[in-house]
Amino acid sequence: MEPQPTAPRPTAVRAIETVFRLESPRVIAGVARIVRDVGIAEELAQDALVAALERWPRDGVPGNPGAWLMATARHRAVDLVRRRETYARKLREIGRDLPETVPAAEPADPEDIDDDLLRLVFTTCHPVLSAEARTALTLRLLGGLTTAEIARAYLVPEPTVAQRIVRAKKTLARRNVAFEVPYGPDREARLDSVLDVIYLIFNEGYAATAGDDLLRPGLCEDALRLARVLSALMPKEPEVHALTALLEFQASRTAARTGPDGAPVLLADQNRRRWNRMLIARGIRALARADATAAGAPGRYALQAAIAACHAHAYTYEETDWRTIATLYGLLAARFPSPVVELNRAVAVAMDQGPAAGLELVDALAAEPALRDYHLLPSVRGDLLRRLGRTTEARAEFARAAGLARNARERELLRRRAGESP
């Protein structure tokens, strides 16, 4: 009787899962270049993971586990292409002299792998997909998150996330989206989509729109990692560096934004000694790279990063340069109009010129349809009314904001400010 294979040891499985999570984006990207289909590329990467689970606990983890996964997945991709009816045409696309054995363990050229990763970024964030589909697919293929993890992060049913990912892959295949980095006008349009997806992922982690927790640090970490990867892949794009700077600055405050019980801590009350100075230093360097590569007027993320830098440079709330922040918000509003930007500008103006000046700007936004259900509008108005001594009106605004807030932690804070019991 043949010996039965032993079950993988738990420590080995954990090590394999960790390696796969780190390496899977590059493996999927490298395979997608061969098969030209991100769905099939993900399946082949998963096949490589299964092979690792079978062999590594028995033979030991290879010296370069990422290269092993890449070689295994590429070998299976080559076999798949050879089995297709379009064998001859595909061979011409990927090279005439494919080896008959498993490809070399080491990637041929690290820069080629980076190019593949960049192609994958632009593919998962393609504008033919909805914003929800782009986010889910990016977290799945580039963030290494499981469907269940994405569902938990966004508080939606797991089948909903699974359907979004499946539909996204089918849409890319059906629309014959090229696995490439676009150039010219297409590149700028597509890059905006890429940056937007990363920004949305970070924001959902930084200030969760719903649920019981204010923060979801895992999403912030995934978004920041994606931004850093993109900065390395696109060193001449100022807005890529600017977004990275913005996320570094924002992430630096994470530890101070909630108390021991998870309750939100307002900016004015945060213990700035808990701000992460290493992340702030990284943000400063990234913003300097954005400035050095910029050829024209600062972009949307560069202006936001400059605002975040003003907060980062202030060691106390009282030292904050609100005048500069108000000016930067004015530039942002002029170049990239948005009701939310106007609301933030009103806050900065109130800090610089007084609550009456800020309230005038906030009241001008009262009829803005986009802010009708936005809880921060009555929240900001309540704070300004409180500072003006109009306590009764302020409490009513905080109560209205609490009724609109979908996040339980924010709702509790607003109820307390309204004088209600949570």
Side-chain angles (χ1 to χ4, degrees):
M1 178 181 293
E2 294 184 4
Q4 295 297 314
T6 58
R9 296 187 299 274
T11 52
V13 171
R14 284 196 294 272
I16 294 167
E17 289 175 347
T18 299
V19 168
F20 186 75
R21 189 160 190 153
L22 292 172
E23 297 292 341
S24 61
R26 290 174 179 267
V27 174
I28 293 170
V31 174
R33 176 162 56 128
I34 298 174
V35 298
R36 302 288 172 173
D37 186 307
V38 294
I40 295 174
E42 186 188 13
E43 292 174 5
L44 292 169
Q46 292 287 343
D47 287 346
L49 171 63
V50 172
L53 288 168
E54 292 173 349
R55 295 179 57 179
W56 293 4
R58 182 190 66 216
D59 302 338
V61 177
N64 190 335
W68 190 98
L69 289 168
M70 178 70 78
T72 302
R74 286 179 59 207
H75 177 59
R76 293 176 186 228
V78 169
D79 286 345
L80 177 65
V81 170
R82 285 174 171 158
R83 289 197 302 268
R84 288 177 174 175
E85 294 180 355
T86 55
Y87 165 77
R89 180 171 59 83
K90 287 293 183 181
L91 278 187
R92 286 194 295 272
E93 291 177 5
I94 65 174
R96 295 177 180 277
D97 300 316
L98 286 169
E100 292 297 328
T101 57
V102 177
E106 294 292 336
D109 185 343
E111 290 187 4
D112 287 345
I113 301 300
D114 286 347
D115 287 344
D116 289 339
L117 193 58
L118 190 57
R119 292 184 186 100
L120 183 61
V121 171
F122 276 92
T123 301
T124 62
C125 297
H126 197 285
V128 299
L129 304 176
S130 68
E132 294 83 1
R134 280 179 247 162
T135 300
L137 192 61
T138 300
L139 284 173
R140 174 71 174 168
L141 300 185
L142 287 157
L145 275 67
T146 65
T147 303
E149 287 170 331
I150 299 169
R152 281 198 301 271
Y154 282 91
L155 302 178
V156 295
E158 188 174 339
T160 300
V161 173
Q163 289 170 7
R164 286 176 184 171
I165 293 172
V166 169
R167 283 198 297 265
K169 293 174 185 175
K170 288 181 178 178
T171 299
L172 294 175
R174 185 176 66 252
R175 300 287 290 271
N176 199 26
V177 171
F179 187 68
E180 64 181 10
V181 178
Y183 292 92
D186 286 345
R187 179 167 183 157
E188 184 176 350
R190 293 270 294 277
L191 181 58
D192 286 345
S193 176
V194 171
L195 299 181
D196 285 349
V197 167
I198 295 174
Y199 187 51
L200 285 171
I201 293 170
F202 183 89
N203 278 350
E204 184 58 32
Y206 191 71
T209 54
D212 296 329
D213 299 313
L214 179 70
L215 301 174
R216 297 195 184 110
L219 283 180
C220 291
E221 292 166 6
D222 286 322
L224 187 51
R225 180 164 55 84
L226 290 173
R228 289 170 179 167
V229 167
L230 200 60
S231 284
L233 296 176
M234 306 184 74
K236 296 180 181 180
E237 292 288 347
E239 277 291 83
V240 173
H241 296 307
L243 175 63
T244 305
L246 173 60
L247 302 194
E248 301 278 11
F249 287 134
Q250 298 291 76
S252 72
R253 306 181 208 164
T254 299
R257 293 188 65 237
T258 55
D261 60 350
V265 178
L266 298 174
L267 181 62
D269 301 325
Q270 289 177 16
N271 178 358
R272 299 194 175 204
R273 285 175 296 190
R274 299 190 68 199
W275 286 11
N276 189 318
R277 290 291 154 184
M278 183 188 71
L279 292 180
I280 290 174
R282 292 183 67 119
I284 291 170
R285 289 195 296 271
L287 187 56
R289 286 193 292 270
D291 291 339
T293 53
R300 178 161 54 107
Y301 292 113
L303 289 169
Q304 292 183 74
I307 292 168
C310 288
H311 289 293
H313 284 301
Y315 283 89
T316 66
Y317 186 73
E318 292 71 26
E319 293 176 27
T320 307
D321 187 355
W322 289 107
R323 181 159 298 177
T324 297
I325 292 175
T327 300
L328 289 168
Y329 269 123
L331 291 172
L332 188 63
R335 294 201 59 215
F336 308 95
S338 159
V340 173
V341 170
E342 286 291 351
L343 182 61
N344 288 329
R345 184 171 78 90
V347 173
V349 168
M351 296 302 300
D352 179 41
Q353 301 177 22
L359 184 61
E360 183 179 350
L361 295 175
V362 170
D363 286 344
L365 296 170
E368 179 61 52
L371 299 180
R372 181 168 42 209
D373 297 322
Y374 189 52
H375 70 284
L376 291 182
L377 177 61
S379 175
V380 168
R381 192 168 190 276
D383 189 62
L384 297 177
L385 289 168
R386 180 190 59 80
R387 289 170 57 190
L388 289 168
R390 296 160 61 176
T391 307
T392 302
E393 295 173 83
R395 285 177 176 170
E397 288 297 297
F398 286 133
R400 186 163 73 92
L404 293 172
R406 294 169 53 203
N407 182 277
R409 292 295 189 176
E410 286 188 297
R411 190 162 54 244
E412 290 170 4
L413 173 65
L414 290 164
R415 283 175 176 169
R416 284 199 298 272
R417 302 195 77 188
E420 302 172 7
S421 58

